[in-house]
Amino acid sequence: MLSRLLKKNTESVPAFTKKPFFRSEEKAFYARLRRTLPKCYVFPDVELRALMTPVSTDPRQRRAEKEYLSGRKVDYAVFDARLSLLCVIELKTGGLIDSTPGSNAELLRSASIRHFCWDKLKLPTSEQMMNMFAPFVMPVAPRSSGSAESDADSPHPNSTFVSVEEVVMPRITSLTVEAVEALAPMNYTKNGYPHVWERICLFCNDPSHLADYIATLSMQNRSVKRVGFPAAVMAEINEIERVNAQFINKAPEKVSWNDVFADR
């Protein structure tokens, strides 16, 4: 017993050294994100269980579903000044969203979390990201000099920690050509199917018309069987369709005559 105590006391404590949190290329991209979104918080390497929670009220099922999220991460999570989640970003080789059952993309979609997936070898430029984020983040308007707030309560002019009022939602009613280009930064559709890309850009200002056109791309309405699109092109078209759907005004269903008088 004495020998064990002496051995324990003589054991050396392991030595450690600092480890860089980012590799050089990761640091460059993070800096690009921060420049593009100076009024937002950008957190790297975030676990999904920190961003979503099960809706089930059954304790056992909730534990199982939380365990299902264990180990799943996204590369970046972007929050506004109120620390409300704006979107998440995944970087993958090829930049294709994995929509298979149980994938991160499916879980994020079920939680209504905006999701971007980019090719880690062909990352978007600051301008492309700015166009991509424009629908839900806009630049801060300068404050009036007659504000009642004291200088002590105001953030430092170079600070990225801003007040709640400084991140607002713009009133956007449709996609723009710039936004469409930002949703397909790899240009698979533009280069491979220029006639399809031209029509998407032509119809992007009319959400309903664009939705109808995209729907025709998957319809078998010809005498010969359609060949279809490559997976990379379909991923771009599906992403444009998904974002465009947010701008379509769905009128409430009108009560029909039969609904009112059927039981009278």
Side-chain angles (χ1 to χ4, degrees):
M1 180 175 179
L2 180 60
S3 62
R4 286 202 300 267
L5 290 173
L6 291 173
K7 183 179 179 181
K8 183 176 180 180
N9 291 333
T10 57
E11 286 180 352
S12 61
V13 177
F16 296 92
T17 186
K18 289 190 297 183
K19 175 184 175 181
F21 188 74
F22 284 122
R23 295 193 299 270
S24 57
E25 63 274 15
E26 292 174 333
K27 187 184 295 185
F29 179 68
Y30 181 76
R32 190 186 309 171
L33 267 177
R34 294 291 291 113
R35 287 194 300 270
T36 306
L37 300 168
K39 304 301 181 182
C40 296
Y41 300 95
V42 181
F43 298 107
D45 204 25
V46 181
E47 293 192 4
L48 285 189
R49 61 183 178 180
L51 304 176
M52 61 179 69
T53 189
V55 297
S56 173
T57 56
D58 180 77
R60 294 182 62 183
Q61 185 174 348
R62 284 181 65 86
R63 283 196 297 271
E65 291 175 348
K66 285 184 178 180
E67 186 64 27
Y68 189 75
L69 297 176
S70 181
R72 294 172 178 262
K73 297 181 178 181
V74 292
D75 293 285
Y76 299 96
V78 181
F79 295 80
D80 66 12
R82 296 166 292 181
L83 287 179
S84 296
L85 182 62
L86 295 176
C87 68
V88 299
I89 300 169
E90 286 190 301
L91 305 180
K92 295 182 178 181
T93 301
L96 297 179
I97 294 179
D98 179 11
S99 297
T100 57
S103 63
N104 280 7
E106 185 182 52
L107 298 177
L108 291 165
R109 192 179 304 113
S110 71
S112 300
I113 296 175
R114 193 178 281 106
H115 175 213
F116 294 101
C117 185
W118 299 328
D119 188 344
K120 62 173 63 176
L121 301 179
K122 299 178 181 178
L123 295 171
T125 64
S126 297
E127 184 179 358
Q128 288 173 327
M129 287 193 291
M130 200 171 298
N131 291 329
M132 202 175 306
F133 295 136
F136 52 96
V137 176
M138 67 181 296
V140 178
R143 289 186 177 183
S144 60
S145 57
S147 174
E149 291 183 330
S150 65
D151 292 339
D153 295 332
S154 300
H156 190 274
N158 294 327
S159 174
T160 58
F161 297 85
V162 295
S163 65
V164 172
E165 295 80 13
E166 288 183 326
V167 176
V168 296
M169 298 289 286
R171 294 182 178 179
I172 298 177
T173 58
S174 70
L175 289 171
T176 62
V177 174
E178 292 77 11
V180 169
E181 290 177 345
L183 290 170
M186 299 301 107
N187 295 324
Y188 295 123
T189 308
K190 185 176 183 178
N191 295 334
Y193 299 85
H195 62 290
V196 172
W197 183 258
E198 182 180 351
R199 285 176 173 264
I200 288 176
C201 293
L202 180 64
F203 301 147
C204 68
N205 294 320
D206 187 335
S208 297
H209 200 162
L210 179 58
D212 291 342
Y213 173 68
I214 292 178
T216 65
L217 297 177
S218 58
M219 293 176 60
Q220 182 58 43
N221 55 0
R222 300 177 182 175
S223 57
V224 294
K225 187 175 181 180
R226 304 185 74 153
V227 177
F229 297 104
V233 174
M234 280 304 305
E236 287 186 348
I237 294 175
N238 289 340
E239 181 66 5
I240 293 171
E241 182 180 32
R242 183 186 67 80
V243 176
N244 179 69
Q246 302 174 13
F247 301 112
I248 298 177
N249 295 321
K250 296 181 179 179
E253 295 184 2
K254 295 182 180 180
V255 179
S256 67
W257 185 89
N258 289 335
D259 292 333
V260 177
F261 298 102
D263 298 328
R264 293 192 178 185

